């Protein structure tokens, strides 16, 4: 009876998904025992030398494989709730390994909408279905003459295509066992929920879909995509060394992942000054030294939308936005390694400005929502009337 109960308990034992770094697997630490879930899948993300991978074995149940057999994104089924890792590498050799193991839960392994991709070179990702999860595991970025700003591990994402405007979200971390309900770790969302305020100051949330998504350099070891419909994109392990990015569409969105490798971004926007516009960010902020995200306004010239964060302003999934048509965006941290800042920027245009100066200026629609304290200084005054006069004058000139 006791044995049966024990077996039952073993059967339902659950464990969190795991990331296990190979640089900690040396002969001195062997064997390493990791709690995992029976029925989960194990993956290797590594472009380390296969001669070294051969010297590390993992045992699950009665199966033992060396890691070199797990390259090319092959998965291994977890057969017992403990994984044993045995390494014959000396400490100094093990420390140089860059790869890691990833273990899913059993539910994730059995979910045919859940997929895992190891990025080690160019790869096209196409997902169909109404609800999919794709985990992206990066291998080490390699370059004979790396730039000072070269990341350790990265995905360069281009050509994001969403069919029928279905939502797509990029998340940092790995999906936990509550990944379908936990939605606070997005660093990119398209569409973006956006609150517009009517004449009575009442908010109306609209979903703003961006047809244009700028190429993204996702400097994370791993991340994941949840999607509410079919999409496609291209992934590569390359680093696009681009200190200044120029957009080509007036309605567009992109991402910066600033952490160990931090270069203050500069984005020049292709603006449409004939329309009202909005600029904003979706941000995760955890800094040791202060940094500001600054949108510079094209029409008002002197007005900036500045969001400053210090070491005390931790923010998770905070959206901050303003009714500013932006000419450019800069981040102005002065410390070399200020901490972590992930942000999605978005700029889009709304209705056309009325072009007769007799029209009332539109009500101010500055929106600021945040889930944490942030020092935020938006455009306080309503300078729209000034623009109306300018636009009116311009119109007369055209006539
Ligand atoms: C980006 O735009 C700036 C001016 O707005 C220009 O000087 C620069 O050459 C452009 N860069 C690229 C790569 O097109
Ligand atoms: C940007 O999006 C708005 C709202 O959907 C639309 O009215 C406008 O035409 C778009 N602008 C461009 C340049 O696509
Ligand atoms: C707006 O930001 C730009 C770039 O950071 C800066 O040169 C300019 O002085 C700022 N303007 C104001 C009014 O702070
Ligand atoms: C960044 O710019 C803002 C606004 O111009 C300024 O108040 C702040 O001191 C600057 N921060 C750093 C770290 O340079």
């Amino acid at each position: 009876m006791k044995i049966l109960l024990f077996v039952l308990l073993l059967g339902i034992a659950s464990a969190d998904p795991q990331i296990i770094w190979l640089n900690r697997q040396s002969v001195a630490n062997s064997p390493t025992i990791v709690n995992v879930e029976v029925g989960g899948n194990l993956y290797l993300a590594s472009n380390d030398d296969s001669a070294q991978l051969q010297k590390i074995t993992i045992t699950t149940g009665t199966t033992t494989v060396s890691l070199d057999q797990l390259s090319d994104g092959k998965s291994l089924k977890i057969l017992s709730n403990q994984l044993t890792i045995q390494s014959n590498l000396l400490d100094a050799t093990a420390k140089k390994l860059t790869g890691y193991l990833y273990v899913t839960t059993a539910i994730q392994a059995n979910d045919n909408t859940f997929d895992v991709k190891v990025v080690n070179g160019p790869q096209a990702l196409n997902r169909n279905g109404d609800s999919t999860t794709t985990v992206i595991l990066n291998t080490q970025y390699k370059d004979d003459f790396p730039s000072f700003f070269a990341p350790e591990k990265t995905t360069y994402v281009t050509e994001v295509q969403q069919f029928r405007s279905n939502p797509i979200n990029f998340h940092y971390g790995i999906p936990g066992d509550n990944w379908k309900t936990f939605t606070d770790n997005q660093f990119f969302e398209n569409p973006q929920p956006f609150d517009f305020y009517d004449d009575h100051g009442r908010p109306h949330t609209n979903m703003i879909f961006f047809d244009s998504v700028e190429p993204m350099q996702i400097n994370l070891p791993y991340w994941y995509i949840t999607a509410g419909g079919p999409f496609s994109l291209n992934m590569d392990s390359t680093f696009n060394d681009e200190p200044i990015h120029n957009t080509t569409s007036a309605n567009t969105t992109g991402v910066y992942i600033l952490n160990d490798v931090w270069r203050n971004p500069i984005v020049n926007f292709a603006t449409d000054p004939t329309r009202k516009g909005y600029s904003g960010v979706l941000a995760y902020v955890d800094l040791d030294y202060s940094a500001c995200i600054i949108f510079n306004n094209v029409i008002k010239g002197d007005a900036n939308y500045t969001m400053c964060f210090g070491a005390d302003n931790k923010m998770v999934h905070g959206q901050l936005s303003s009714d500013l048509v932006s000419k450019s965006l800069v981040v102005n941290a002065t410390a070399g390694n200020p901490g972590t800042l992930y942000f999605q920027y978005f700029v889009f245009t709304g209705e056309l400005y009325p072009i007769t100066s007799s029209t009332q200026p539109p009500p101010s629609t500055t929106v600021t929502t945040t889930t944490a304290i942030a020092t935020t200084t938006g455009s306080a005054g309503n300078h729209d009337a000034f623009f109306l006069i300018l636009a009116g004058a311009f119109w007369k000139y055209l006539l």
Side-chain angles (χ1 to χ4, degrees), residues 22-237:
L22 300 186
N23 61 8
R24 295 186 198 141
Q25 311 305 323
S26 67
V27 68
N29 306 330
S30 277
T32 306
I33 312 282
V34 185
N35 290 330
V36 290
E37 227 174 84
V38 177
N41 280 336
L42 177 143
Y43 298 83
L44 171 72
S46 162
N47 50 8
D48 296 304
D49 186 357
S50 72
Q52 266 136 40
L53 295 177
Q54 213 173 0
K55 294 188 179 139
I56 304 176
T57 61
I58 43 181
T59 303
T60 175
T62 54
T63 304
T64 297
V65 297
S66 57
L67 293 189
D68 59 308
Q69 296 170 57
L70 285 179
S71 44
D72 311 321
K74 267 182 249 147
S75 68
L76 179 74
K77 193 52 102 189
I78 300 292
L79 304 173
S80 70
N81 60 359
Q82 288 197 324
L83 191 70
T84 307
I85 306 168
Q86 182 77 47
S87 170
N88 290 324
L89 294 173
L90 294 176
D91 224 30
T93 316
K95 276 207 178 80
K96 288 188 195 131
L97 296 180
T98 59
Y100 56 91
L101 298 166
Y102 165 59
V103 189
T104 70
T105 65
I107 287 175
Q108 290 167 345
N110 294 331
D111 183 340
N112 59 14
T113 68
F114 189 99
D115 206 355
V116 177
K117 301 286 179 198
V118 177
V119 181
N120 188 13
Q123 182 174 148
L125 177 66
N126 286 290
R127 297 292 322 253
N128 290 308
D130 294 339
S131 163
T132 58
T133 303
T134 313
V135 181
I136 310 298
L137 307 177
N138 285 325
T139 53
Q140 194 72 3
Y141 172 71
K142 288 187 172 166
D143 189 337
D144 291 338
F145 304 100
S147 145
F148 182 73
F149 297 103
E152 291 269 302
K153 294 188 172 62
T154 193
T155 330
Y156 188 55
V157 173
T158 53
E159 306 286 325
V160 176
Q161 301 278 338
Q162 291 159 258
F163 305 107
R164 303 189 306 272
S165 314
N166 287 308
I168 184 169
N169 301 308
F170 294 179
H171 308 253
Y172 50 86
I174 48 170
D177 50 11
N178 61 344
W179 92 100
K180 290 207 171 159
T181 50
F182 176 74
T183 55
D184 255 4
N185 62 339
Q186 292 94 330
F187 63 85
F188 173 76
E189 296 173 344
N190 193 19
Q192 232 344 278
F194 196 86
D195 287 340
F196 295 92
Y197 287 79
D198 66 17
D199 294 356
H200 307 284
R202 287 178 301 229
H204 297 274
T205 305
N206 282 14
M207 296 305 277
I208 305 297
F209 179 77
F210 295 91
D211 279 319
S212 159
V213 177
E214 302 301 318
M216 295 180 212
Q217 192 80 56
I218 302 177
N219 296 338
L220 294 170
Y222 40 79
W223 55 285
Y224 65 98
I225 304 169
T226 57
F231 70 93
S232 69
L233 51 80
N234 290 334
M235 306 188 283
D236 204 344
S237 317

Side-chain angles (χ1 to χ4, degrees), residues 294 296 302 304 330:
I294 305 164
N296 298 293
D302 58 348
N304 284 345
V330 297

Side-chain angles (χ1 to χ4, degrees), residues 208-209 249-251 272 275 348-351:
I208 305 297
F209 179 77
S249 170
N251 294 347
D272 180 355
R275 288 170 187 268
F348 64 97
T349 54
E351 68 265 38

